[in-house]
Amino acid sequence: MTTFHIHGGIPLQGKVRIQGSKNAALPILAATLLTGDASDIRNCPQIADVQHMVSLLQSLGCRVRRSGDGYLVDSARAGACNMSGDAITGMRSSLCLLGAMLGRFGEVTMEHPGGCVIGKRPIDLHLKALGKMGVSFTEEDGRLIGRVNRLRGADIRLSISSVGATENILLAAVQAEGDTTITGAAREPEVEALCRYLTACGAHIEGIGSSILGIKGGTPLHGAEFTVPADRIVAGTYLFACVGCGGSVLLENAPCGQLEAVIQTAERMGARCQMDGREGGDGIYGADYGYESGLYVQAPERPHALARLRTAVYPGFPTDLQSMALTVLTRADGKSCVEETIFEDRFRVVDSLRSMGADIEHYTQNIVLVRGVSSLRGAKVEARELRGGAALVLAGLMAEGESEITGCAYIERGYENIGKDLRDLGARIVSV
Ligand code: EPZ
């Protein structure tokens, strides 16, 4: 497993291009299965989870070929098979093959999907919704088996806004007989990207980007070209890296429209952010970078504390960036309060931050109080999940002295080349 060695305390300076979105690419790659045709999915990040999805599609009989920065996927000869092994149990997104397999073949057999240990992560909403569309599920030897003769459209109300459940319902609904309405659908940009790919393939979906989606089932689908949008979480990670370390950076290609709550939070921390095309900028960043498209960030001298930062479903502040914001707040000029509302186990990073000198106290299971310290100190810490691991890299960059982050394979599941990206911004970080 990769280990990062970081020499911290260096302000970031320069520009970096933001990779394609992991959480958009994965369901879209799964969706290629529905078309029985060839699709060209561009701007796919080269990360372990995408490799897993590619190998799962290949194991189902799809022809998959790397092409430029993406994949050509031909699902004409795909057939149903039992899906098991690391690619299924090692990542949560294998779950979107549930809807895709049922949509294409009316059957699916798979081991239970895994993913980062950030909470219980049940799949009850997925099973209940697909059940309403006619699928019957059983369990045998730890495998989930779903069967349906003919998927039928249904009115589905999600009691919790679930990204994965919304995606699975969409994947099944485009192939169902009759119409489906999803009320309480997740509005995350990754759901929108999946809708856009499916409509490019010929599907009829109304209300894209809203919490009520109307899907006309049974429209014949064909392959399509699609470009995966830039990764808002990677952009947010580098944004907070700059706010935490100081300096000024350009995040080329950052999906600014998807980052409003994140940018507002960085601005509350004292950062100055300027988006391409936005009114009111004074050109200070443009002078350095020639007005390239993206997000310009100038860090404050020291981050301001936040009376309250609360995660929420989109368009709120994303749970996937909570650990990074928390890390920045460890160096803020006062007391902050951070509340996690989506996953119950997303403060696992707290102990490691404390070992680097952070002053963080649990108020309740999902609220922590942070008293800013003047500096963190380098330490040896272990990444135990993707986003928490990335936050530890930020902590290492912010800290005085040397840090060693082990367990970085978790981080590489979501970041194409975080070490190089940060080196391009002037950080001293090497991977061994
Ligand atoms: C997606 O996970 C993302 N993963 C996560 O990113 C992200 O943190 C999360 O959405 C929230 O934005 C992928 O897209 C692969 P949910 P998902 O279903 O779909 C509860 C990362 O680091 N729930 O929206 O698994 C659940 O417990 C990853 O890239 C049920 O109760 O999340 C949670 O509290 C980590 N029953 C809430 O809903 C269900 O059947 C939202 O989860 C499903 C979910």
Side-chain angles (χ1 to χ4, degrees):
M1 242 195 209
T2 313
T3 297
F4 284 134
H5 291 270
I6 301 173
H7 180 91
I10 301 169
L12 301 183
Q13 205 76 50
K15 60 180 177 177
V16 65
R17 189 170 179 79
I18 303 301
Q19 69 183 62
S21 161
K22 165 178 90 79
N23 290 344
L26 292 166
I28 288 169
L29 286 168
T32 59
L33 200 56
L34 292 173
T35 65
D37 196 7
S39 282
D40 184 359
I41 311 299
R42 299 178 179 167
N43 200 30
C44 286
Q46 292 247 47
I47 51 174
D49 280 12
V50 167
Q51 298 295 346
H52 279 324
M53 182 57 79
V54 164
S55 62
L56 284 167
L57 290 171
Q58 286 169 330
S59 71
L60 292 166
C62 295
R63 284 174 52 196
V64 189
R65 185 161 63 79
R66 184 86 192 158
S67 158
D69 62 4
Y71 288 96
L72 288 172
V73 186
D74 185 348
S75 62
R77 294 184 180 188
C81 75
N82 292 352
M83 291 184 292
S84 59
D86 285 354
I88 289 284
T89 57
M91 68 168 182
R92 176 75 172 182
S93 292
S94 54
L95 192 58
C96 45
L97 285 166
L98 200 64
M101 293 285 287
L102 289 164
R104 173 83 187 268
F105 306 113
E107 62 174 282
V108 61
T109 304
M110 70 195 304
E111 276 189 285
H112 272 280
C116 279
V117 187
I118 51 178
K120 289 198 276 298
R121 309 195 80 178
I123 60 168
D124 56 314
L125 298 173
H126 301 243
L127 302 186
K128 198 169 153 201
L130 293 168
K132 218 170 166 191
M133 299 176 80
V135 182
S136 50
F137 287 103
T138 52
E139 287 246 7
E140 265 173 41
D141 303 329
R143 280 164 204 267
L144 180 66
I145 301 172
R147 284 207 179 84
V148 62
N149 280 334
R150 189 83 189 94
L151 280 166
R152 53 174 193 270
D155 282 339
I156 295 166
R157 181 175 291 274
L158 288 175
S159 54
I160 299 174
S161 170
S162 162
V163 173
T166 305
E167 290 168 349
N168 259 329
I169 300 164
L170 277 163
L171 292 166
V174 292
Q175 297 290 39
E177 203 170 81
D179 298 346
T180 296
T181 306
I182 313 175
T183 310
R187 294 171 56 196
E188 269 65 4
E190 297 75 28
V191 173
E192 177 166 346
L194 175 62
C195 289
R196 303 240 173 255
Y197 168 69
L198 290 170
T199 52
C201 296
H204 289 287
I205 304 174
E206 282 176 9
I208 295 176
S210 80
S211 58
I212 303 181
L213 295 173
I215 305 113
K216 195 172 162 56
T219 316
L221 299 182
H222 49 78
E225 280 179 14
F226 192 79
T227 300
V228 173
D231 196 308
R232 65 191 172 109
I233 305 301
V234 172
T237 302
Y238 299 159
L239 165 59
F240 286 121
C242 177
V243 179
C245 294
S248 66
V249 299
L250 166 61
L251 307 176
E252 276 186 302
N253 201 37
C256 297
Q258 303 175 6
L259 284 165
E260 281 196 14
V262 175
I263 290 169
Q264 275 169 18
T265 301
E267 286 176 337
R268 282 169 61 212
M269 290 172 167
R272 294 174 70 191
C273 299
Q274 188 178 320
M275 285 169 257
D276 187 50
R278 196 193 224 193
E279 294 289 307
D282 57 11
I284 49 169
Y285 312 106
D288 289 345
Y289 296 112
Y291 294 100
E292 288 173 73
S293 87
L295 176 62
Y296 302 94
V297 185
Q298 188 171 55
E301 275 291 303
R302 184 177 180 185
H304 303 336
L306 300 182
R308 193 164 191 217
L309 176 64
R310 189 173 190 267
T311 61
V313 296
Y314 190 81
F317 187 86
T319 174
D320 288 347
L321 287 171
Q322 181 260 101
S323 309
M324 297 70 157
L326 171 66
T327 301
V328 173
L329 292 173
T330 62
R331 261 204 65 232
D333 60 3
K335 279 190 223 162
S336 305
C337 170
V338 179
E339 182 179 1
E340 171 60 49
T341 69
I342 312 291
F343 290 113
E344 60 275 17
D345 211 5
R346 267 223 149 137
F347 286 128
R348 295 175 85 211
V349 77
V350 164
D351 284 344
S352 302
L353 292 175
R354 277 189 188 134
S355 74
M356 300 177 81
D359 182 351
I360 308 174
E361 177 193 330
H362 276 279
Y363 182 65
T364 63
Q365 199 208 344
N366 62 336
I367 299 179
V368 294
L369 303 177
V370 192
R371 282 179 208 85
V373 294
S374 55
S375 63
L376 296 178
R377 57 175 180 271
K380 188 172 172 178
V381 288
E382 183 186 1
R384 291 189 291 162
E385 44 97 5
L386 164 58
R387 305 301 174 189
L392 291 179
V393 172
L394 262 57
L397 297 175
M398 287 163 53
E400 297 298 330
E402 311 292 324
S403 290
E404 186 180 316
I405 322 278
T406 57
C408 295
Y410 284 114
I411 304 171
E412 290 167 343
R413 289 182 46 184
Y415 297 81
E416 215 165 39
N417 206 336
I418 191 169
K420 179 182 178 302
D421 287 350
L422 292 167
R423 273 193 299 280
D424 286 350
L425 297 178
R428 282 176 61 187
I429 172 169
V430 288
S431 53
V432 289

